[in-house]
Amino acid sequence: MEIKAADVAKLRKMTGAGMMDCKKALIEAEGDYAKAQDIIREKGKLVAAKRADRTATEGVVVSKIVGQKGYMLCLACETDFVAKNSEFSATAEEILDIAIAADAADLDALNAVATDGRTVADKVTEKSGQTGEKVELTYYAKIEAPMCVTYIHTNHKLGTLIGFNKEIAMETAKDVAMQAAAMAPISISREDADPAVIEHERAIGREQARLDGKPEAMLDKIAEGKVNKFLTENTLLNQPLVKNNKLSVGAYIKQADAEATVVAYKRFSLND
């Protein structure tokens, strides 16, 4: 049967698949749009299954602030060629908009959100069929705070979300978001650092001191000193400010507003 260009364009709009894939699906489905959509979806599942053991190390990180909420996700793929494709970025933005509309709580909840009869997980699988690569939604986070800011690095592979307990100068807020991107703090403060990470650093410090020949009675004290140094360098509020290392990030925020502090923090990098 004859497949018109308008029919192919309509299916492409419905599925996001390439023009040739849409034409082939319509021919196979004998013009039935519903069957053609199923064919395209099955192709995506087949590609995803075949490439399940591949590593998706490229992709795009996108984010958006809506009122007092911040959202960020990463749509990953196998090659930089696909990641830089405008349609791939558009898909990431589309999924982000779905996350915002649903106010999805976490990655599992986002994957389960359905629009136009397809879940987000289905959309990601279909993208595998369109690109011929492994595509996966590798990260999603949401924060909520009186003031939220985001920073996405120019390579679109690294992003942060920062929440403050009150409105502060945007320049200060952006500096903090960029600081978190550059210095990858493990937590906001010493108090909310993972106890397992602290204990690991403590054990390393103790062993280093032992190898250095320090007396057994001094090992714990030396280890605590190393832990304190680690927490100063690796917790956001205590880190030296990149743009002025005479100030900690916490002190820099206090310069803008004595009552302000960070209450929410998320960071994701494809390169980590």
Side-chain angles (χ1 to χ4, degrees):
M1 64 176 295
E2 181 186 359
I3 302 298
K4 297 179 180 178
D7 297 326
V8 175
K10 180 179 178 180
L11 184 60
R12 175 175 167 76
K13 187 175 181 180
M14 294 166 68
T15 64
M19 295 294 281
M20 288 306 299
D21 287 333
C22 288
K23 184 175 182 179
K24 289 176 182 178
L26 281 168
I27 291 171
E28 186 178 340
E30 297 181 339
D32 188 311
Y33 284 107
K35 288 182 180 179
Q37 287 184 74
D38 287 340
I39 290 167
I40 289 171
R41 289 175 189 171
E42 289 305 314
K43 180 189 175 185
K45 290 178 183 177
L46 182 62
V47 171
K50 284 183 176 180
R51 304 185 78 84
D53 61 341
R54 298 293 185 106
T55 304
T57 56
E58 298 293 338
V60 292
V61 178
V62 293
S63 67
K64 192 174 289 186
I65 303 300
V66 181
Q68 295 187 341
K69 295 179 181 180
Y71 303 83
M72 183 167 65
L73 63 80
C74 175
L75 187 65
C77 56
E78 294 179 43
T79 66
D80 195 44
F81 176 78
V82 168
K84 289 182 176 179
N85 183 282
S86 60
E87 289 190 3
F88 188 83
S89 296
T91 298
E93 293 286 356
E94 178 189 356
I95 294 173
L96 182 62
D97 287 340
I98 292 171
I100 293 168
D103 196 25
D106 53 33
L107 184 56
D108 287 341
L110 176 54
N111 273 316
V113 175
T115 57
D116 301 324
R118 294 177 293 163
T119 64
V120 167
D122 290 336
K123 289 180 181 290
V124 173
T125 299
E126 288 167 13
K127 203 66 184 175
S128 285
Q130 294 165 24
T131 63
E133 293 190 3
K134 179 178 183 177
V135 176
E136 59 183 349
L137 194 57
T138 57
Y139 181 83
Y140 168 73
K142 180 187 84 168
I143 65 168
E144 188 168 356
M147 180 184 186
C148 296
V149 296
T150 183
Y151 170 74
I152 300 295
H153 194 55
T154 53
N155 63 5
H156 299 286
K157 296 180 181 181
L158 165 65
T160 58
L161 291 173
I162 305 288
F164 296 88
N165 63 335
K166 61 185 301 187
E167 291 279 341
I168 63 171
M170 182 56 72
E171 180 183 355
T172 302
K174 282 289 187 181
D175 283 343
V176 175
M178 291 175 69
Q179 168 89 21
M183 302 307 293
I186 61 170
S187 63
I188 296 171
S189 66
R190 295 167 179 256
E191 289 70 29
D192 64 337
D194 185 343
V197 172
I198 295 175
E199 186 53 43
H200 178 67
E201 292 299 321
R202 183 177 287 118
I204 290 174
R206 190 181 292 112
E207 185 60 25
Q208 284 178 340
R210 181 178 288 111
L211 292 173
D212 289 341
K214 301 299 182 182
E216 196 70 25
M218 293 181 62
L219 298 186
D220 287 344
K221 184 177 181 180
I222 293 171
E224 285 308 309
K226 290 186 179 295
V227 166
N228 285 332
K229 183 175 186 293
F230 172 80
L231 290 173
T232 296
E233 294 174 348
N234 292 280
T235 55
L236 179 58
L237 294 177
N238 295 292
Q239 285 181 333
L241 187 69
V242 170
K243 65 186 291 184
N244 179 1
N245 62 17
K246 293 181 180 180
L247 283 176
S248 68
V249 174
Y252 177 63
I253 295 170
K254 296 297 184 188
Q255 282 189 346
D257 189 313
E259 298 178 352
T261 191
V262 176
V263 294
Y265 158 58
K266 299 291 182 182
R267 179 184 185 277
F268 179 79
S269 173
L270 267 165
N271 297 322
D272 288 351

